Amino acid sequence: DAGVIQSPRHEVTEMGQEVTLRCKPISGHNSLFWYRQTMMRGLELLIYFNNNVPIDDSGMPEDRFSAKMPNASFSTLKIQPSEPRDSAVYFCASSGRTSGASYEQYFGPGTRLTVT
Amino acid sequence: SQQGEEDPQALSIQEGENATMNCSYKTSINNLQWYRQNSGRGLVHLILIRSNEREKHSGRLRVTLDTSKKSSSLLITASRAADTASYFCATARFTGSARQLTFGSGTQLTVLP
């Protein structure tokens, strides 16, 4: 398996522009998570999906952020309009039911977003 | 505040020494997991310990869990320079359809050659 795939790996954009981050989870996993990591705030859970349905989006900073999961193999995180304070590394992770229901998560390589 | 809090925030040791990192949490859990993150990379799952377990081993890793004190420790024995990374504990509390983990702030481990 290729693991969790994220694109792009790096994104540099200007303030006010729309940014779309993409994620392909591990095949067979039914939970998908979006995280943001910064030096100041550490690793923050933004939103997660079970069986393509958003379960908890309480971590989404504000209405400028939106996430979708149209099918089991694809998810997007969109920021519109982007602001410099959105600069961070965004991780996607997936998990699935394993023996004993441990639900360990598998992380993608992340997208480093820089908003100027 | 975060569910898991690691201690210390940073640890520097010589190659061959043991490294111990601690994690404290606040609520009841289903399991506790430790992850590793190399600079510029995603987190990688290392080891999981269930709430009814007290100790678990995997290679050079040893994890303990004390549910009465709501704390866990990760021991890396005979450390190597390649163990240099950030280590995070994550607590799992599954209720209903909830499957999320709550990550701590991490311990930055530096192993000097």
Side-chain angles (χ1 to χ4, degrees):
Chain A
D1 198 315
V4 176
I5 298 173
Q6 291 187 247
S7 65
R9 294 293 309 277
H10 301 273
E11 177 82 30
V12 180
T13 190
E14 291 184 347
M15 178 177 171
Q17 296 297 306
E18 177 179 296
V19 175
T20 299
L21 311 181
R22 297 173 176 80
C23 175
K24 176 178 167 55
I26 291 174
S27 178
H29 282 184
N30 63 345
S31 295
L32 183 140
F33 307 81
W34 282 102
Y35 293 90
R36 178 172 68 176
Q37 187 177 39
T38 62
M39 288 292 291
M40 291 294 294
R41 301 173 69 92
L43 190 67
E44 302 173 277
L45 176 65
L46 300 177
I47 185 171
Y48 79 99
F49 297 83
N50 272 358
N51 297 316
N52 312 340
V53 176
I55 300 299
D56 184 355
D57 65 354
S58 60
M60 296 286 261
E62 48 199 273
D63 292 345
R64 297 184 297 106
F65 285 68
S66 63
K68 293 181 179 180
M69 191 164 187
N71 57 61
S73 59
F74 184 66
S75 177
T76 59
L77 178 68
K78 185 175 294 186
I79 308 172
Q80 165 65 15
S82 58
E83 298 182 2
R85 60 191 168 123
D86 301 330
S87 297
V89 181
Y90 290 81
F91 289 103
C92 175
S94 70
S95 71
R97 185 174 181 86
T98 56
S99 175
S102 54
Y103 295 106
E104 59 262 36
Q105 294 184 10
Y106 295 81
F107 281 72
T111 295
R112 182 173 295 277
L113 173 65
T114 303
V115 183
T116 61
Chain B
S1 61
Q2 289 182 318
Q3 168 77 316
E5 294 292 340
E6 286 92 341
D7 166 52
Q9 289 189 328
L11 179 63
S12 184
I13 59 174
Q14 293 293 135
E15 204 165 27
E17 295 180 339
N18 296 342
T20 299
M21 289 159 270
N22 303 297
C23 171
S24 60
Y25 58 93
K26 292 181 168 58
T27 66
S28 61
I29 60 173
N30 293 89
N31 66 62
L32 186 144
Q33 305 177 24
W34 284 90
Y35 288 77
R36 164 192 169 130
Q37 183 180 32
N38 286 80
S39 181
R41 303 284 186 95
L43 280 70
V44 175
H45 180 263
L46 291 177
I47 192 168
L48 176 150
I49 187 165
R50 303 185 197 288
S51 60
N52 61 353
E53 298 176 312
R54 292 297 167 259
E55 187 171 314
K56 202 160 184 180
H57 296 253
S58 176
R60 293 185 296 113
L61 304 179
R62 172 178 168 247
V63 173
T64 62
L65 179 65
D66 186 334
T67 53
S68 65
K69 295 181 179 178
K70 292 186 170 57
S71 67
S72 173
S73 68
L74 172 68
L75 169 68
I76 304 174
T77 60
S79 63
R80 305 166 182 168
D83 294 329
T84 295
S86 291
Y87 292 81
F88 295 84
C89 70
T91 52
R93 189 164 182 254
F94 303 139
T95 57
S97 60
R99 296 291 178 264
Q100 74 270 39
L101 302 176
T102 304
F103 285 85
S105 52
T107 292
Q108 173 60 51
L109 173 67
T110 302
V111 182
L112 303 170

